[in-house]
Amino acid sequence: MTKKNFLEEKFIELNQLKTILLTYPKDYKESIIDVMSGVCDKVTEYLEDCKKHTFRSVPITNQKFTIEELAKYNGKNGMPAYVAIDNKVYSLENVDAWKNGMHNGLKAGNDLTEFFKSCHEGAQILLDNLELVGELIPTMSRRYRENIIENLPIEYTIEELSKYNGRDGMPSLIAINGTVYDVADVDVWKDGVHFGVMAGKNLTNEFLNCHAKEMDKILEKLRIVGTLIE
């Protein structure tokens, strides 16, 4: 069915329902309105689907992405849905579980290496079935960061900690319960940002709210670089 035929059919259907609404007893009013609402929802869904197929960008293979560039490919506004796993960028366009660029609270356009490994450890077959479209460019070399880390102070005031926000070549540090951790190697902390939360801060409360049960398990994997002082 063409777009024109579909819309004409729904237009006629709505007009028929409108006539019924005006002529049937008031007891049927709510039910008829519900049916009309359902027809409108189908029209909206159809138009959204047409928009996706019309404006969806065609994936280009062998691209190189910074984390900022990857963020654009979030499956919204006609953009493809891409994610990075182990510095490789994959398209999720044909994966039903990633409809609209989301899956179990995760969003496309991000480096999801840590999440993939925690949920699908050893499941390389899942990645083999995805379309590889490029690679993620590391924002800071490990050697460069290690040189900076070696010269970091042992104690930090909150003002000093704020300098280490993962921007402009600075390490990404966070404080939890008075201990300062380096999170630059943690995939979900690319460029010093994790789901809108920025490095360079005391994140004790945020951490407890989100990870209270796994606190010890998560923190033992992080590198301690100092302590937070008053």
Short mmCIF file of all heavy atoms in Angstrom, two decimals, residues 158-183:
data_model
loop_
_atom_site.label_atom_id
_atom_site.label_comp_id
_atom_site.label_asym_id
_atom_site.label_seq_id
_atom_site.Cartn_x
_atom_site.Cartn_y
_atom_site.Cartn_z
N ILE A 158 39.09 19.77 47.20
CA ILE A 158 38.04 19.65 46.20
C ILE A 158 38.32 20.56 45.02
O ILE A 158 37.98 20.23 43.87
CB ILE A 158 36.65 19.95 46.83
CG1 ILE A 158 35.54 19.45 45.91
CG2 ILE A 158 36.51 21.43 47.14
CD1 ILE A 158 35.46 17.96 45.78
N GLU A 159 38.98 21.70 45.27
CA GLU A 159 39.33 22.61 44.18
C GLU A 159 40.40 22.00 43.29
O GLU A 159 40.34 22.11 42.05
CB GLU A 159 39.82 23.95 44.74
CG GLU A 159 38.77 24.80 45.43
CD GLU A 159 38.44 24.30 46.83
OE1 GLU A 159 39.24 23.52 47.39
OE2 GLU A 159 37.39 24.70 47.37
N GLU A 160 41.38 21.36 43.90
CA GLU A 160 42.44 20.73 43.11
C GLU A 160 41.89 19.55 42.31
O GLU A 160 42.26 19.35 41.15
CB GLU A 160 43.56 20.25 44.04
CG GLU A 160 44.36 21.40 44.66
CD GLU A 160 45.29 20.93 45.75
OE1 GLU A 160 45.04 19.86 46.34
OE2 GLU A 160 46.27 21.65 46.02
N LEU A 161 41.00 18.80 42.93
CA LEU A 161 40.41 17.65 42.24
C LEU A 161 39.66 18.08 40.99
O LEU A 161 39.67 17.36 39.97
CB LEU A 161 39.46 16.92 43.19
CG LEU A 161 38.76 15.67 42.63
CD1 LEU A 161 39.77 14.58 42.32
CD2 LEU A 161 37.70 15.17 43.62
N SER A 162 39.03 19.25 41.04
CA SER A 162 38.21 19.71 39.92
C SER A 162 39.02 19.91 38.64
O SER A 162 38.46 19.93 37.54
CB SER A 162 37.49 21.01 40.28
OG SER A 162 38.42 22.07 40.45
N LYS A 163 40.35 20.06 38.76
CA LYS A 163 41.19 20.24 37.58
C LYS A 163 41.31 18.95 36.77
O LYS A 163 41.56 18.99 35.56
CB LYS A 163 42.59 20.69 38.00
CG LYS A 163 42.63 21.98 38.79
CD LYS A 163 44.05 22.26 39.27
CE LYS A 163 44.11 23.49 40.17
NZ LYS A 163 45.49 23.71 40.69
N TYR A 164 41.11 17.82 37.45
CA TYR A 164 41.34 16.52 36.80
C TYR A 164 40.01 15.95 36.30
O TYR A 164 39.48 14.97 36.82
CB TYR A 164 42.03 15.57 37.78
CG TYR A 164 43.36 16.12 38.25
CD1 TYR A 164 43.46 16.82 39.44
CD2 TYR A 164 44.50 15.97 37.47
CE1 TYR A 164 44.67 17.36 39.86
CE2 TYR A 164 45.72 16.50 37.87
CZ TYR A 164 45.80 17.19 39.06
OH TYR A 164 47.01 17.72 39.46
N ASN A 165 39.50 16.61 35.26
CA ASN A 165 38.16 16.29 34.75
C ASN A 165 38.17 15.57 33.42
O ASN A 165 37.14 15.44 32.75
CB ASN A 165 37.34 17.58 34.63
CG ASN A 165 38.01 18.60 33.71
OD1 ASN A 165 39.03 18.31 33.08
ND2 ASN A 165 37.45 19.80 33.67
N GLY A 166 39.36 15.11 32.99
CA GLY A 166 39.44 14.36 31.74
C GLY A 166 39.45 15.23 30.49
O GLY A 166 39.42 14.71 29.38
N ARG A 167 39.52 16.54 30.67
CA ARG A 167 39.52 17.45 29.52
C ARG A 167 40.91 18.04 29.30
O ARG A 167 41.70 18.15 30.23
CB ARG A 167 38.52 18.59 29.75
CG ARG A 167 37.10 18.14 30.05
CD ARG A 167 36.47 17.46 28.84
NE ARG A 167 35.13 16.97 29.12
CZ ARG A 167 34.04 17.71 29.01
NH1 ARG A 167 34.13 18.97 28.64
NH2 ARG A 167 32.85 17.17 29.26
N ASP A 168 41.17 18.43 28.05
CA ASP A 168 42.42 19.11 27.70
C ASP A 168 43.65 18.34 28.15
O ASP A 168 44.63 18.92 28.65
CB ASP A 168 42.44 20.52 28.30
CG ASP A 168 41.28 21.37 27.81
OD1 ASP A 168 40.94 21.26 26.62
OD2 ASP A 168 40.70 22.12 28.63
N GLY A 169 43.61 17.03 28.02
CA GLY A 169 44.77 16.21 28.35
C GLY A 169 44.93 15.88 29.81
O GLY A 169 45.90 15.22 30.20
N MET A 170 44.00 16.31 30.65
CA MET A 170 44.09 16.02 32.08
C MET A 170 43.49 14.64 32.38
O MET A 170 42.56 14.20 31.70
CB MET A 170 43.35 17.08 32.90
CG MET A 170 43.95 18.47 32.77
SD MET A 170 45.65 18.53 33.40
CE MET A 170 45.34 18.46 35.17
N PRO A 171 44.02 13.95 33.40
CA PRO A 171 43.45 12.65 33.79
C PRO A 171 42.02 12.82 34.31
O PRO A 171 41.60 13.92 34.67
CB PRO A 171 44.38 12.18 34.91
CG PRO A 171 45.62 12.98 34.75
CD PRO A 171 45.20 14.29 34.19
N SER A 172 41.29 11.71 34.35
CA SER A 172 39.94 11.71 34.91
C SER A 172 40.00 11.11 36.31
O SER A 172 40.22 9.91 36.46
CB SER A 172 39.00 10.88 34.03
OG SER A 172 38.91 11.41 32.74
N LEU A 173 39.80 11.95 37.32
CA LEU A 173 39.84 11.48 38.70
C LEU A 173 38.50 11.74 39.37
O LEU A 173 37.83 12.73 39.09
CB LEU A 173 40.94 12.20 39.49
CG LEU A 173 42.37 12.17 38.93
CD1 LEU A 173 43.32 12.85 39.90
CD2 LEU A 173 42.82 10.74 38.65
N ILE A 174 38.13 10.83 40.26
CA ILE A 174 36.92 11.01 41.07
C ILE A 174 37.24 10.63 42.51
O ILE A 174 38.17 9.86 42.76
CB ILE A 174 35.74 10.16 40.57
CG1 ILE A 174 36.08 8.67 40.64
CG2 ILE A 174 35.35 10.55 39.14
CD1 ILE A 174 34.90 7.75 40.34
N ALA A 175 36.48 11.18 43.43
CA ALA A 175 36.67 10.85 44.84
C ALA A 175 35.46 10.08 45.35
O ALA A 175 34.31 10.45 45.08
CB ALA A 175 36.87 12.12 45.66
N ILE A 176 35.73 8.98 46.06
CA ILE A 176 34.68 8.18 46.69
C ILE A 176 35.10 7.91 48.12
O ILE A 176 36.17 7.33 48.37
CB ILE A 176 34.46 6.82 45.97
CG1 ILE A 176 34.22 7.02 44.47
CG2 ILE A 176 33.32 6.05 46.63
CD1 ILE A 176 32.91 7.67 44.13
N ASN A 177 34.29 8.34 49.07
CA ASN A 177 34.59 8.12 50.50
C ASN A 177 36.00 8.56 50.88
O ASN A 177 36.72 7.85 51.61
CB ASN A 177 34.39 6.64 50.85
CG ASN A 177 32.92 6.26 50.89
OD1 ASN A 177 32.05 7.11 51.13
ND2 ASN A 177 32.64 4.99 50.65
N GLY A 178 36.42 9.70 50.35
CA GLY A 178 37.72 10.25 50.72
C GLY A 178 38.90 9.72 49.95
O GLY A 178 40.02 10.21 50.12
N THR A 179 38.70 8.73 49.11
CA THR A 179 39.77 8.17 48.29
C THR A 179 39.62 8.66 46.86
O THR A 179 38.51 8.70 46.32
CB THR A 179 39.74 6.63 48.31
OG1 THR A 179 39.88 6.17 49.65
CG2 THR A 179 40.87 6.05 47.46
N VAL A 180 40.74 9.03 46.24
CA VAL A 180 40.72 9.54 44.87
C VAL A 180 41.14 8.43 43.91
O VAL A 180 42.19 7.79 44.10
CB VAL A 180 41.65 10.76 44.71
CG1 VAL A 180 41.64 11.25 43.26
CG2 VAL A 180 41.20 11.88 45.65
N TYR A 181 40.31 8.20 42.90
CA TYR A 181 40.54 7.13 41.93
C TYR A 181 40.75 7.69 40.52
O TYR A 181 40.16 8.70 40.15
CB TYR A 181 39.35 6.17 41.90
CG TYR A 181 39.07 5.45 43.19
CD1 TYR A 181 38.21 6.00 44.14
CD2 TYR A 181 39.66 4.22 43.47
CE1 TYR A 181 37.95 5.34 45.33
CE2 TYR A 181 39.40 3.55 44.65
CZ TYR A 181 38.54 4.11 45.58
OH TYR A 181 38.27 3.45 46.77
N ASP A 182 41.56 6.97 39.76
CA ASP A 182 41.77 7.28 38.35
C ASP A 182 40.80 6.44 37.52
O ASP A 182 40.82 5.21 37.60
CB ASP A 182 43.22 6.95 37.98
CG ASP A 182 43.47 7.00 36.48
OD1 ASP A 182 42.73 7.70 35.78
OD2 ASP A 182 44.42 6.33 36.02
N VAL A 183 39.93 7.10 36.74
CA VAL A 183 38.94 6.36 35.95
C VAL A 183 39.16 6.53 34.44
O VAL A 183 38.29 6.22 33.64
CB VAL A 183 37.50 6.79 36.31
CG1 VAL A 183 37.17 6.39 37.73
CG2 VAL A 183 37.30 8.30 36.11
#
